[in-house]
Amino acid sequence: MSLGRYLDDQTDDEIIAAVVGGNQQAFRALVVRYQNVVARTVIGMLGPGDDADEAGQLTFLKLYQGLSSFRGEAALSTFITKIAMNTSLDLIRKRERDRARFGASIRDIDDQEMVDGPGMSAAMEGIELNDLVTRALSQLSPPYRAVTMLRLVQGLSTKEVSELLGVSEGTVHSRLSRARDQLRKILAPEVGEHYG
């Protein structure tokens, strides 16, 4: 059976049964089907780069290892998103431990390289609004970033975000409101400077 058949003809439950039965091609079909969901989550939480790549790979590894325990109580996309979110949060915590251990933040190092690097003015002229938003999101604390990514970027409902993060819907609303306020403050000088 071809990969295309799994993508076109099989439900998630049928593919999961095949994976649990040992069919590697069926798992590849799940990866193809859900790679964009995972990418949006990990890049949104970690920014593009090696950490996001690592989180994406770990997400699919954890999915493969945990698929036999998946009971279908939530949609598979929700299950995968939760794995991707938790994996991203683990890597954020690792980053914070590394920063504390080495005494300098990665952000400070990156900013210094930009200032010292050649073509600084050309780089500043080429900044896209998307890049500004990505950098602004990276400045939010993990709880605010998680809610923003899930609710605004991925378009999950408040209830789905609540279930994924294990917090009340009121907490989701509160965190989202605070995140929006912080994003406005972070983006106001940048947007005004580059697009005003």
Side-chain angles (χ1 to χ4, degrees):
M1 190 178 298
S2 73
L3 181 60
R5 174 157 160 55
Y6 279 113
L7 292 175
D8 297 334
D9 300 338
Q10 303 293 306
T11 67
D12 285 346
D13 290 338
E14 291 169 331
I15 296 173
I16 290 168
V19 172
V20 172
N23 186 326
Q24 296 298 314
Q25 188 166 351
F27 186 71
R28 283 193 294 275
L30 282 181
V31 171
V32 169
R33 187 174 280 180
Y34 289 103
Q35 64 189 352
N36 289 337
V37 170
V38 171
R40 276 193 312 268
T41 302
V42 300
I43 291 171
M45 290 298 293
L46 300 164
D50 292 340
D51 284 347
D53 291 343
E54 180 181 352
Q57 292 170 10
L58 286 171
T59 296
F60 283 113
L61 177 63
K62 291 175 182 178
L63 173 65
Y64 184 78
Q65 293 169 337
L67 211 48
S68 62
S69 64
F70 177 68
R71 300 290 172 241
E73 295 164 358
L76 184 60
S77 62
T78 303
F79 183 67
I80 292 171
T81 300
K82 185 171 187 171
I83 294 170
M85 185 62 63
N86 288 336
T87 301
S88 297
L89 290 170
D90 288 345
L91 285 174
I92 289 170
R93 285 188 282 273
K94 180 184 179 296
R95 277 183 186 172
E96 290 169 356
R97 284 192 305 270
D98 289 347
R99 283 184 192 135
R101 184 177 307 134
F102 297 113
S105 77
I106 294 168
R107 185 171 166 256
D108 290 341
I109 293 167
D110 289 345
D111 288 347
Q112 189 60 41
E113 287 172 359
M114 276 188 70
V115 169
D116 293 341
M120 178 61 180
S121 62
M124 290 305 290
E125 291 171 9
I127 291 177
E128 299 283 336
L129 182 58
N130 198 15
D131 294 332
L132 293 172
V133 172
T134 300
R135 282 192 287 147
L137 282 170
S138 73
Q139 293 178 46
L140 296 176
S141 67
Y144 295 153
R145 192 179 324 161
V147 167
T148 303
M149 284 304 307
L150 293 171
R151 183 72 181 97
L152 299 181
V153 177
Q154 293 198 16
L156 299 180
S157 70
T158 301
K159 182 179 181 186
E160 290 170 321
V161 174
S162 167
E163 291 170 358
L164 270 172
L165 298 178
V167 298
S168 71
E169 289 183 37
T171 300
V172 171
H173 285 295
S174 173
R175 287 181 183 175
L176 189 57
S177 175
R178 289 182 184 146
R180 283 178 173 155
D181 289 344
Q182 288 180 14
L183 285 172
R184 272 190 215 100
K185 289 176 185 172
I186 293 167
L187 287 171
E190 295 287 338
V191 172
E193 178 182 333
H194 298 293
Y195 296 94

